[in-house]
Amino acid sequence: MKRRPRILVVFKKSAYQVYALEKREKKVRSLIRRHAASMEKLTQAHQAHNEALDAVANAAEAAGAEVRLVYRAHLRKTTNVDLVVTVGGDGTLLDASHRVDGVPLLGVNSNPASSVGFLTGATKDTFPLVLDQVLRGRLEPLTLLRLDVLLNERSLGTPVLNDVLICHSNPAATSRYALRNGHRSEEQKSSGIWVATPAGSTAAILSAGGQQDELTAQRFQYRVREPYAPPGVKLDLVHGFVTPPAELVVESYMRQGAVFLDGSHIRYAMGMGDEVIVKAHESPLHLYRPARA
């Protein structure tokens, strides 16, 4: 007998769930009683998210799969399932991607009205059809480059799907460092350096002046934020691409620097003389994302 497919559904909790129902924050509950406009958006998002989560679980069970649900904060490294489905937005998908190795991933945008969900491949309405295509082998996953970040030659252990920010720990302070791309090296002062995968090329690095890349491109890019050049000095390494196996190297000239991986939650301290190496991760991510019109 053919084994039933095993699907792990990774979900976020809405802001309403966390702050109003679980933490019961006084200010939030006061705003709810006053029917504040900000709370109306929270309650609408909460309802949309819960409806999407129920719809995804029901559709997966109806497709004959063994389904297990896990809150994204409780997720550990996942290898013993056939498919990971995230319910939330890009943040939930990014969280799950850090724990996925060799298992394909499909993101469901639980609230398209307020969430971009660039990396997600379905909504609650399209999920049954997309899942059917996946289970029948009619949809092939994309192979996405991830990044491995090393601090003083030791991997930080998180496969980065979106971007890395290397900067001073204080956002108002100047970042000082030496940047090396291949045989070229340059000492710089700036607000920090964005390093992004093709999947992250539509995010912060694009707003900072970077370039949108093909989602499946096998290279990554860097962009210096607000570079400072003394009068008469031209900086050459402000923006560029790195094609593996080449690496991008940053030597810190700061006593209090920081490295952020895929957002603000994963942060590592670095000091004077510390070296950060960014290179392609040996394990790419396999992501189901149907072509969009």
Side-chain angles (χ1 to χ4, degrees), residues 7-264:
I7 297 178
L8 179 66
V9 177
V10 180
F11 64 92
K12 74 169 188 178
K13 292 181 180 179
S14 70
Y16 182 91
Q17 175 73 34
V18 174
Y19 299 112
L21 301 181
E22 295 183 2
K23 295 187 176 181
R24 301 180 65 84
E25 291 190 356
K26 291 183 179 180
K27 185 170 184 179
V28 172
R29 296 181 67 82
S30 173
L31 290 170
I32 292 172
R33 288 193 296 270
R34 286 157 40 196
H35 301 287
S38 58
M39 291 301 103
E40 183 177 348
K41 290 185 177 181
L42 282 187
T43 54
Q44 289 174 347
H46 174 71
Q47 181 178 354
H49 175 69
N50 285 345
E51 290 176 356
L53 181 57
D54 289 341
V56 166
N58 291 337
E61 290 177 351
E66 296 180 10
V67 181
R68 182 163 62 92
L69 277 67
V70 60
Y71 174 43
R72 72 182 194 181
H74 299 157
L75 181 64
R76 298 297 178 261
K77 189 172 182 179
T78 303
T79 56
N80 61 343
V81 296
D82 301 302
L83 176 66
V84 173
V85 177
T86 63
V87 181
D90 282 337
T92 307
L93 193 151
L94 285 172
D95 272 0
S97 75
H98 299 156
R99 303 288 187 267
V100 170
D101 186 8
V103 179
L105 192 153
L106 168 64
V108 177
N109 188 344
S110 63
N111 189 18
S114 63
S115 175
V116 175
F118 175 74
L119 294 173
T120 59
T123 64
K124 70 178 179 65
D125 296 324
T126 64
F127 175 72
L129 176 59
V130 175
L131 179 62
D132 181 69
Q133 292 175 328
V134 169
L135 296 180
R136 291 177 182 271
R138 296 177 179 175
L139 182 64
E140 291 295 323
L142 303 176
T143 299
L144 304 187
L145 176 78
R146 295 194 285 188
L147 299 177
D148 190 13
V149 182
L150 289 72
L151 181 59
N152 297 327
E153 301 185 349
R154 182 175 181 178
S155 175
L156 297 180
T158 298
V160 175
L161 180 60
N162 218 30
D163 51 37
V164 179
L165 176 60
I166 303 168
C167 60
H168 196 284
S169 60
N170 184 333
T174 301
S175 300
R176 294 176 170 84
Y177 53 86
L179 174 65
R180 186 168 79 246
N181 181 10
H183 297 296
R184 298 187 299 165
S185 180
E186 188 170 74
E187 294 186 359
Q188 295 181 348
K189 297 178 183 179
S190 72
S191 295
I193 311 164
W194 283 115
V195 187
T197 66
S201 67
T202 64
I205 199 168
L206 184 64
S207 297
Q211 179 179 322
Q212 182 173 345
D213 211 351
E214 292 291 332
L215 194 57
T216 55
Q218 295 302 301
R219 62 179 184 175
F220 59 95
Q221 66 178 295
Y222 66 91
R223 182 80 190 189
V224 177
R225 303 195 307 171
E226 301 163 351
Y228 168 74
V233 175
K234 180 180 180 298
L235 296 178
D236 295 321
L237 300 182
V238 173
H239 175 248
F241 288 89
V242 181
T243 302
E247 304 169 345
L248 189 72
V249 181
V250 177
E251 181 183 355
S252 172
Y253 291 177
M254 300 169 281
R255 291 188 301 104
Q256 295 177 313
V259 182
F260 296 89
L261 309 181
D262 274 344
S264 60

